[in-house]
Each structure stands twice: as C-alpha cells, then as structure tokens.
Amino acid sequence: MDARHALSISRSIAKEVKKTIEKLNNYEKGKTVGFGVDGGETKLIDFMAEKAALDILKKEKLTVFSEESGFSGEGDVFVALDPLDGTFNAENNIPLYSVSLNFSFSEKLKDTFFAYVYNLSTDDEYYADVKAYKNGKELKVSDVESLFCNSIFYYPTKVLPFKRIRVFGCASLELCMVASGVFDCFIDIRNVLRFVDASAAIYIVEKAGGKVTDEFGKPLSEKKIDERLNVVASNPKLHKKILKMVL
C-alpha cells in the first residue's frame, strides 16, 4: 500500500461515516450501547461510525486497531482508527468532530507513512504523506516565538503567559489547527490521550514543520498503536520554551 491508496481508502471512510452518523437523531447519538477496549462507554454514534469504517477497511489486507473494538484484520500495514473523535461534540451538534486514520508499516508511530483527519461537520480534510495539506493546500505551522501566543492546553494548573487558551474536545482537529498555524501550540500531558486520537494529527503537524514530543522533550516515535500519549506540539521556535514552562 502507498499513500495514494491510503488517501482513497480514507476518503471513502470519511464519506461513509458522515452518511451513517447523519441518519441518527439526537437521542440515538447519545445512547450507550457498550464499552470500548479501554473500558470507556461506547455510544451508538461511536458504534455506527466504527462499523462504517471497518466495513471498508476489512476489504483490505490491514491490521486495524480501533478505539472501540481493538485489533481486527491481518496485514503488514497497521491502521490506527478513531472513527469518531469528539463524540460529545457530535452528540451535541458542536461542529468539531472527526474521523482519524494513521497508516504505518508497524505498530509504532515512527513507521507512519500516511495520516488523515476529516472534520465530519465542516468537510475540512487534512492529510499528510511527505507534506501536510488542508483541502489540497500545503500547511505550515506558525513562526511565533513568544509564549504570549494562542494555545490549546488541557487543564493547566498554574498561571500561564499565553494570550489565549482554548479546549475544543477533539484532539485530532486541535492538532490540525496547530499544523495550520491557527494555534501555536497544543499541550495535553494528562496521560489520557490515546494513540488513535492523536497519531494521525501528530504526523500532520510534523509534516507541516512542527515539533511533537512528550512533556520531557522525548520523541513519540516508539509509541505503539494501543498506548496513551502525553503530547506537546508547536513550532520549533516555541517548543523548548513550552517544555520549560510545563515541567
């Protein structure tokens, strides 16, 4: 499989997931139907989105790890699938929820060769192979150097110098905002972020010229498909300053 094939698959999944979840009414969206592999509640909207995605992925020779059902399939290419990132937003018609796919030649982040994030509400499409794109236009992270900047920071515990702090509840799209230069950094060091939530968008940030590590500055390249991540993402000029601030 190459990046072109992965893009084609991803677009088919985005189209099918969007069509599927749009059929659900507000009550159905929020109905709990089970529990995912990590013990969290699975809502009907999550279940239906995952089924739509897996019905397409199972036609390929792939090993898939999905947020709700875990591992399925068998192949030399690994896909980290979050069929619906931002479930709360989707349930409540907040236009920030996505489908996210990370394609890799192993279970590790370092072997990613293609990544895809699609905003199911606005139809904005982000992807990366050797470069990063939004709706076909090349992306570049910001060049802001000052900590008086625009930040996405999950639950800070001290006074910070940022100009703005926002939390949108959809890590994949939040990281894509950093890749786009809309926000200057993304920080989530709660040890709750799943590989499937963030891996595709991390690759997009990196291909847009950004730097992504954990809170100690260690690369995430060895992280595996079923692990959790702490993430500090920004442009390279800001990165060291942010690490000193959060430790």
Side-chain angles (χ1 to χ4, degrees), residues 19-91:
K19 183 172 71 174
T20 298
I21 65 175
E22 284 180 344
K23 295 177 182 177
L24 301 174
N25 61 40
N26 288 338
Y27 169 76
E28 292 171 327
K29 289 178 182 178
K31 183 179 179 181
T32 300
V33 295
F35 298 89
V37 291
D38 64 354
E41 288 185 347
T42 297
K43 300 298 181 72
L44 180 61
I45 193 171
D46 295 308
F47 176 82
M48 295 301 293
E50 182 179 75
K51 184 180 183 303
L54 290 178
D55 282 349
I56 293 171
L57 288 170
K58 70 183 181 182
K59 298 174 183 177
E60 307 286 335
K61 192 176 181 181
L62 301 167
T63 299
V64 181
F65 184 83
S66 183
E67 179 178 355
E68 305 302 332
S69 61
F71 282 103
S72 62
E74 186 174 336
D76 295 332
V77 171
F78 291 75
V79 179
L81 167 69
D82 191 346
L84 185 62
D85 186 22
T87 300
F88 176 85
N89 293 346
E91 288 176 38

Side-chain angles (χ1 to χ4, degrees), residues 127-128 130-133 138-142 175-176 178-181 201-211 234-236:
Y127 67 87
V130 295
K131 295 182 179 180
Y133 302 91
E138 189 174 341
L139 293 179
K140 188 71 175 175
V141 294
S142 77
L175 281 160
C176 285
V178 174
S180 304
I202 286 170
Y203 188 75
I204 292 169
V205 171
E206 291 176 338
K207 293 303 179 182
K211 185 168 184 178
S234 70
N235 69 61

Side-chain angles (χ1 to χ4, degrees), residues 78-113:
F78 291 75
V79 179
L81 167 69
D82 191 346
L84 185 62
D85 186 22
T87 300
F88 176 85
N89 293 346
E91 288 176 38
N92 292 280
N93 301 311
I94 300 168
L96 283 158
Y97 49 96
S98 71
V99 57
S100 174
L101 299 108
N102 187 75
F103 292 78
S104 177
F105 291 121
S106 79
E107 292 187 37
K108 294 183 178 181
L109 187 61
K110 68 179 181 181
D111 292 315
T112 298
F113 66 91

Side-chain angles (χ1 to χ4, degrees), residues 10 13 17 25 28 37 68 71 76 89 93 97 121 127 143 160 162 177 193-194 197 199 206 211 241:
S10 299
I13 288 171
V17 168
N25 61 40
E28 292 171 327
V37 291
E68 305 302 332
F71 282 103
D76 295 332
N89 293 346
N93 301 311
Y97 49 96
S121 178
Y127 67 87
D143 60 358
L160 300 166
F162 296 132
M177 291 178 192
L193 198 59
R194 291 164 293 206
D197 298 325
S199 57
E206 291 176 338
K211 185 168 184 178
K241 295 178 182 179

